[in-house]
Amino acid sequence: MAAKVEANGGSDKVGVSAVSAKIPAVAHPLAEKPDEVASNISYHAQFSPHFSPFKFELEQAYYATAESVRDRLIRQWNETYAHFHKVDPKQTYYLSMEFLQGRALTNAIGNLNIQDAYANALRKFGLELEEITEQEKDAALGNGGLGRLASCFLDSMATLNLPAWGYGLRYRYGLFKQKITREGQEEVAEDWLEKFSPWEVVRHDILYPIRFFGHVEVNPNGSRKWVGGEVVRALAYDVPIPGYQTKNTISLRLWEAKASAEDFNLFSFNDGQHDAASVLHSRAQQICAVLYPGDTTEGGKLLRLKQQFFLCSASLQDIISRFKERRQGPWNWSEFPTKVAVQLNDTHPTLVIPELMRLLLDDEELGWEEAWDVTSRTVAYTNHTVLPEALEKWSQPVMWKLLPRHMEIIQEIDKRFTAMINTTRLDLESELSTMCILDDNPQKPVVRMANLCVVSSHAVNGVAQLHSDILKSELFANYVSIWPTKFQNKTNGITPRRWIQFCNPELSGIITKWLKTDKWVTNLDLLTGLRQFADNEDLQEEWLSAKMASKQRLARYVLQVTGESIDPDSLFDIQVKRIHEYKRQLLNILGVIYRFKKLKEMSPEERKKSTPRTVMIGGKAFATYTNAIRTVRLVNDVGAVVNSDPEVNSFLKVVFVPNYNVSVAEVLIPGSELSQHISTAGMEASGTSNMKFALNGCLIIGTLDGANVEIREEIGEENFFLFGATAEEVPRLRKERENGLFKPDPRFEEAKKFIRSGVFGSYDYSPLLESLEGNSGYGRGDYFLVGHDFPSYMDAQAKVDEAYRDRKKWLKMSILSTAGSGKFSSDRTIAQYAKEIWNIEECRVP
């Protein structure tokens, strides 16, 4: 096979093409030896072609390698589903608008325990595994913690051999790819599907009709049928999810919207009406184009609602089809909840409730009582927020227009719930206006999706102890008095495979060496065994060298993506998460600004006594969220000034890390020494990045919010830098602010004044700073208590500087942070869901 120099490849890759020609192209789908793996990769390069022949460069090598790994996954996948079909266990179906998977190649070869075979096989081509894995683009199927949690859960479900599926949407362009310019954030479409994803398998036989609009027909016998409108099709794409060192491989099923050939109007097209001829194809393509499309217009609202219904209807039709295929009709529907558990990840899939009712009432012809019993025993709901704007409320007119039959069903659920309160709970009559599902305010009638979930589900859970307590005592307190056993806590967790074993191999090796076992990867509680060695100087030295290796890797990455050189000997201080006022990136950057001002005022001798620090901030801001966009701009403007200041830049650097995603996190988290989880207390449901940082030996500066509370309990409060108001104090502090009783700290005023002086450029930051000022009014009055918490934040940061100067103390704290992270495995979380909500059991492939 002749090697060919491609214009975009460069001569350095000719060798790879030439080498690949010498490796026999023989199919070995279950290869374990490096020679066989290399032959299987070569086979895919030739016989599963996606590129011009003779071209075998890094990109082609990645696709051929992925397809070689996929061979093994498909075998395990098929065995898993054959086993599930034979045993017919109860199965869980996890519905989520987001799944933030990250790269699949490293995860698959890690979970299958074939890293060495693949690394050695690729060396036969003159390639390193690391440069191949770098070719993979993150699947753009999510944005933040909600989607990453769902992906960790899938990993744990597979590892625990549970019969379960994930259901989501196949977004072509994701949320957006973030670029950083001098003007701040720029959004461009994600390009992860620009070529194709080697991990998905399209199931052409799995296709369901999804209706929108139309009207309800009432038959003479009183039965009702939803007809007319427009009908698109949902096509299934399956992504394999391998468990860790088990044969079980489960599915993430993603739906794509399509129109059929008969929906193409050939007459109109030939008549020159080209757009009109394919209008349904165009509308179908819009459904899965973008995650969270803008919803300021009615068209945007309709599209978001379409997405949610499309996910719910396709998934339910699929679940019902699977239930039926194992049984002969007529079907015993009371058996359905003993075979099916549906988990709603937040309120986005709420339409499962009226859609399951519709399918049972209209298609299967059940009576209301029986359909309601089946639905409420099947569905459970996870709440992820107490923020009022995030508790979805859909306009009733929009719902009537798009889903007329579902609105009839929701009306009936609401009517029956209201009647139940009026007859059995007269003490709650005065609360009914906030508890009912339909808010009929004539100015803005809405459907309250969270209320619909709570009324209809058999279990409702929060995602951290503090969050669940707030749900029970505040948000859902009245419902708790009706159904006290319905409400549970399931503290979130993270998969230790992706979040330490694969992304931090140096530290993982040290943990295994000192614990004398690698069983901690699936039993994270074993990490407590590190506590006895926390003062051991040999362990501390090894720990330090592992952290330095990760810091150097991170410094190389930052240089590559930002052009900024950072010093691995400085304290690496990181805050990465969605940009939102309640997460308080603004508090962080105000603290940095104050630090910069003080460094400028010091003499050179005084500066040398300070603790050098590199502050990294990353995360995406929604394009329409102006204060979040301004915050991104401010971080970049501050960085531009600080990093080019010769007096200060060896003691302080500020970097905005662009396009934060899973793969970026896998470099940032192992290299971090301090991470900031500084949300206003009572506003972050849980957080999961705090768990990832703590597990990797990174210390946390934070408030008593979300899972921070439990992390601090587990690792020891002396190993956590605490500051800020508590959740109990927040309402009183807001009231005092409204009454003009707040006295700002002089340091806070100094930092704001420094921004206004123009030192960071000419951009007008007044609207951002005004959100921290005044006592009340829209967008004013410092709702998130940045001013109140600023002094205690600065004091906590001074303690960080002091602790970091004592290397031995810091290393001990770091070891104890990892040692106390055992509780935060998603294996523990999922085992609790399985036992206490889903009632499912292990179904291990023999």
Side-chain angles (χ1 to χ4, degrees):
M1 192 189 290
K4 178 180 167 190
V5 183
E6 295 285 340
N8 65 343
S11 57
D12 59 321
K13 292 296 172 212
V14 177
V16 177
S17 296
V19 170
S20 70
K22 294 174 189 165
I23 293 171
V26 182
H28 285 288
L30 305 178
E32 292 190 4
K33 294 177 183 154
D35 286 351
E36 293 175 347
V37 170
S39 288
N40 202 47
I41 291 171
S42 188
Y43 173 84
H44 279 291
Q46 283 191 48
F47 298 109
S48 306
H50 305 288
F51 299 92
S52 312
F54 315 130
K55 185 174 182 182
F56 190 78
E57 295 165 9
L58 285 177
E59 187 179 38
Q60 291 77 32
Y62 158 67
Y63 282 109
T65 303
E67 286 175 323
S68 174
V69 175
R70 198 182 79 170
D71 288 345
R72 177 88 171 262
L73 290 176
I74 285 174
R75 164 82 176 266
Q76 293 192 185
W77 218 359
N78 292 342
E79 287 177 352
T80 303
Y81 283 99
H83 184 62
F84 288 177
H85 190 78
K86 187 174 120 195
V87 176
D88 191 27
K90 182 176 183 181
Q91 299 193 41
T92 288
Y93 301 94
Y94 194 87
L95 271 68
S96 180
M97 284 299 276
E98 295 186 40
F99 287 90
L100 208 52
Q101 288 290 98
R103 288 176 175 151
L105 180 55
T106 11
N107 195 67
I109 61 175
N111 276 3
L112 296 170
N113 201 20
I114 50 177
Q115 301 103 310
D116 292 346
Y118 270 80
N120 291 330
L122 286 163
R123 286 193 191 105
K124 294 178 187 299
F125 295 93
L127 296 167
E128 289 299 319
L129 178 58
E130 200 171 281
E131 58 183 341
I132 295 302
T133 57
E134 283 296 315
Q135 296 297 306
E136 183 175 355
K137 291 177 176 173
D138 281 31
L141 300 171
N143 173 37
L146 183 86
R148 186 51 235 169
L149 179 79
S151 293
C152 281
F153 279 4
L154 292 181
D155 182 84
S156 288
M157 289 169 191
T159 297
L160 294 173
N161 302 303
L162 293 170
W165 297 64
Y167 278 114
L169 296 183
R170 183 177 180 264
Y171 303 105
R172 176 166 288 278
Y173 301 116
L175 183 75
F176 60 83
K177 188 194 276 188
Q178 182 190 52
K179 292 190 169 174
I180 298 298
T181 66
R182 283 297 296 124
E183 277 68 52
Q185 172 179 293
E186 184 189 330
E187 304 88 24
V188 296
E190 288 271 16
D191 58 355
W192 76 289
L193 286 176
E194 200 75 345
K195 291 194 173 85
F196 69 103
S197 166
W199 302 104
E200 57 183 23
V201 175
V202 59
R203 306 288 191 192
H204 290 290
D205 55 327
I206 303 202
L207 204 62
Y208 297 104
I210 312 290
R211 187 182 306 278
F212 301 114
F213 307 110
H215 61 278
V216 180
E217 259 181 14
V218 184
N219 299 319
N221 66 356
S223 67
R224 308 175 87 79
K225 202 83 176 166
W226 182 26
V227 296
E230 65 184 37
V231 178
V232 298
R233 295 164 175 219
L235 174 66
Y237 284 76
D238 284 353
V239 178
I241 309 292
Y244 178 72
Q245 298 189 6
T246 171
K247 286 185 186 171
N248 283 53
T249 298
I250 61 172
S251 265
L252 167 57
R253 178 158 283 178
L254 302 170
W255 298 108
E256 165 134 300
K258 291 175 76 75
S260 67
E262 62 198 39
D263 294 315
F264 183 79
N265 190 325
L266 201 57
F267 180 84
S268 296
F269 192 85
N270 288 330
D271 194 37
Q273 301 173 53
H274 302 138
D275 290 342
S278 56
V279 70
L280 196 62
H281 289 76
S282 167
R283 284 185 192 151
Q285 279 185 329
Q286 290 168 8
I287 292 171
C288 296
V290 171
L291 169 65
Y292 303 137
D295 60 354
T296 48
T297 63
E298 178 164 328
K301 288 183 176 65
L302 275 170
L303 183 55
R304 275 215 196 183
L305 197 56
K306 271 186 175 181
Q307 285 185 330
Q308 293 188 1
F309 179 67
F310 182 79
L311 168 65
C312 296
S313 182
S315 304
L316 281 174
Q317 289 182 67
D318 198 39
I319 292 164
I320 287 172
S321 161
R322 199 166 307 116
F323 173 76
K324 286 180 171 180
E325 95 193 0
R326 290 285 294 125
R327 289 157 190 79
Q328 296 297 312
W331 294 282
N332 174 9
W333 286 101
S334 66
E335 196 192 349
F336 189 77
T338 69
K339 292 294 177 184
V340 172
V342 174
Q343 189 69 35
L344 310 181
N345 192 28
D346 215 349
T347 51
H348 309 122
T350 304
L351 291 167
V352 156
I353 295 159
E355 174 66 351
L356 182 53
M357 287 294 289
R358 182 189 72 82
L359 291 167
L360 294 173
L361 292 167
D362 300 358
D363 292 6
E364 305 301 334
E365 299 180 350
L366 271 61
W368 180 277
E369 300 296 345
E370 191 185 354
W372 179 250
D373 178 64
V374 170
T375 300
S376 56
R377 284 166 54 212
T378 300
V379 176
Y381 159 58
T382 300
N383 172 279
H384 283 277
T385 184
V386 295
L387 292 180
E389 71 269 21
L391 288 168
E392 290 187 295
K393 297 180 181 71
W394 282 103
S395 150
Q396 288 187 31
V398 169
M399 291 270 288
W400 277 111
K401 183 175 179 179
L402 191 74
L403 303 168
R405 178 68 180 120
H406 299 78
M407 274 303 286
E408 290 185 345
I409 291 166
I410 291 167
Q411 264 189 337
E412 184 65 20
I413 294 171
D414 194 41
K415 189 175 107 185
R416 287 170 181 249
F417 171 68
T418 305
M420 183 268 285
I421 297 293
N422 286 332
T423 52
T424 65
R425 288 298 301 269
L426 295 174
D427 56 315
L428 288 176
E429 275 186 308
S430 60
E431 305 291 336
L432 249 180
S433 61
T434 59
M435 292 174 71
C436 60
I437 296 160
L438 297 175
D439 177 353
D440 292 322
N441 172 354
Q443 269 77 48
K444 200 180 177 188
V446 293
V447 182
R448 299 174 176 134
M449 303 309 254
N451 291 17
L452 178 54
C453 285
V454 172
V455 167
S456 312
S457 302
H458 68 88
V460 176
N461 72 282
V463 290
Q465 194 61 57
L466 173 67
H467 170 233
S468 297
D469 291 345
I470 290 171
L471 292 184
K472 290 206 286 201
S473 62
E474 295 173 32
L475 197 64
F476 299 143
N478 290 323
Y479 300 111
V480 175
S481 73
I482 306 171
W483 301 295
T485 59
K486 185 182 278 202
F487 296 83
Q488 305 187 16
N489 175 55
K490 296 284 169 280
T491 296
N492 281 342
I494 56 170
T495 167
R497 272 74 63 184
R498 185 179 289 273
W499 290 114
I500 184 164
Q501 200 203 4
F502 303 153
C503 73
N504 200 342
E506 296 90 354
L507 197 64
S508 299
I510 290 164
I511 293 168
T512 296
K513 174 186 163 185
W514 283 80
L515 293 180
K516 296 187 168 58
T517 177
D518 63 359
K519 295 273 191 295
W520 61 271
V521 178
T522 48
N523 180 4
L524 207 59
D525 290 332
L526 293 176
L527 291 178
T528 55
L530 291 170
R531 284 182 181 146
Q532 61 185 307
F533 306 120
D535 286 308
N536 184 297
E537 288 187 6
D538 293 338
L539 174 58
Q540 288 189 358
E541 280 307 313
E542 290 175 32
W543 203 265
L544 181 64
S545 73
K547 183 57 81 174
M548 184 49 78
S550 293
K551 288 178 76 178
Q552 286 167 342
R553 194 180 306 128
L554 173 50
R556 288 193 295 274
Y557 178 77
V558 167
L559 180 62
Q560 177 197 324
V561 296
T562 69
E564 196 61 55
S565 294
I566 59 175
D567 178 9
D569 287 325
S570 65
L571 166 59
F572 278 12
D573 163 354
I574 297 183
Q575 185 184 20
V576 278
K577 48 187 82 241
R578 225 164 18 99
I579 310 293
H580 197 293
E581 285 167 290
Y582 89 82
K583 293 178 186 283
R584 301 202 294 191
Q585 287 89 352
L586 186 52
L587 173 60
N588 184 346
I589 197 64
L590 283 167
V592 170
I593 288 165
Y594 184 79
R595 179 182 287 265
F596 172 60
K597 186 169 188 290
K598 293 298 117 182
L599 282 165
K600 286 294 285 176
E601 291 165 3
M602 287 177 189
S603 68
E605 287 69 36
E606 286 174 313
R607 276 189 211 117
K608 282 177 188 154
K609 291 178 194 161
S610 69
T611 304
R613 193 185 286 223
T614 301
V615 179
M616 291 170 247
I617 295 175
K620 294 179 179 179
F622 274 93
T624 52
Y625 190 173
T626 47
N627 270 355
I629 294 282
R630 288 176 184 129
T631 303
V632 174
R633 168 95 192 223
L634 179 59
V635 174
N636 282 287
D637 283 352
V638 170
V641 172
V642 172
N643 301 345
S644 59
D645 188 311
E647 291 180 329
V648 167
N649 64 13
S650 49
F651 304 99
L652 178 64
K653 282 218 166 166
V654 180
V655 176
F656 190 93
V657 182
N659 202 41
Y660 180 58
N661 62 17
V662 175
S663 295
V664 176
E666 287 170 11
V667 182
L668 284 168
I669 290 169
S672 179
E673 293 171 291
L674 178 76
S675 74
Q676 305 212 24
H677 303 275
I678 56 178
S679 49
T680 313
M683 306 212 78
E684 185 75 87
S686 165
T688 46
S689 69
N690 44 8
M691 301 168 186
K692 293 162 197 162
F693 282 104
L695 177 61
N696 282 273
C698 172
L699 301 184
I700 290 175
I701 182 169
T703 51
L704 281 179
D705 197 21
N708 279 2
V709 177
E710 290 160 82
I711 291 172
R712 184 167 171 264
E713 283 169 8
E714 294 292 317
I715 68 172
E717 54 190 56
E718 68 282 2
N719 302 311
F720 187 104
F721 297 100
L722 181 68
F723 76 95
T726 64
E728 294 73 35
E729 292 167 341
V730 165
R732 172 179 59 78
L733 291 167
R734 285 183 178 143
K735 200 84 201 141
E736 287 174 5
R737 178 72 184 237
E738 275 179 38
N739 295 334
L741 300 173
F742 172 66
K743 297 277 183 293
D745 186 89
R747 292 172 289 182
F748 181 61
E749 294 302 293
E750 202 177 328
K752 288 190 298 174
K753 191 176 172 189
F754 200 44
I755 297 172
R756 285 198 162 108
S757 73
V759 71
F760 301 113
S762 58
Y763 183 80
D764 181 14
Y765 284 107
S766 301
L768 185 62
L769 297 174
E770 282 163 9
S771 72
L772 307 174
E773 292 165 349
N775 295 325
S776 59
Y778 182 73
R780 287 176 64 78
D782 193 12
Y783 185 76
F784 299 101
L785 304 184
V786 175
H788 176 274
D789 283 357
F790 189 81
S792 65
Y793 174 68
M794 294 311 293
D795 296 345
Q797 288 285 17
K799 287 179 187 155
V800 170
D801 288 337
E802 186 189 339
Y804 194 72
R805 287 195 285 270
D806 182 345
R807 196 182 75 162
K808 212 170 152 37
K809 178 185 176 184
W810 187 274
L811 284 166
K812 179 182 179 179
M813 292 168 78
S814 173
I815 293 165
L816 290 171
S817 173
T818 299
S821 292
K823 174 181 178 176
F824 304 105
S825 168
S826 49
D827 297 346
R828 186 262 319 147
T829 314
I830 285 300
Q832 290 178 338
Y833 274 100
K835 187 176 175 205
E836 296 162 20
I837 295 181
W838 303 331
N839 194 24
I840 62 168
E841 290 176 352
E842 179 181 279
C843 190
R844 185 190 292 265
V845 176

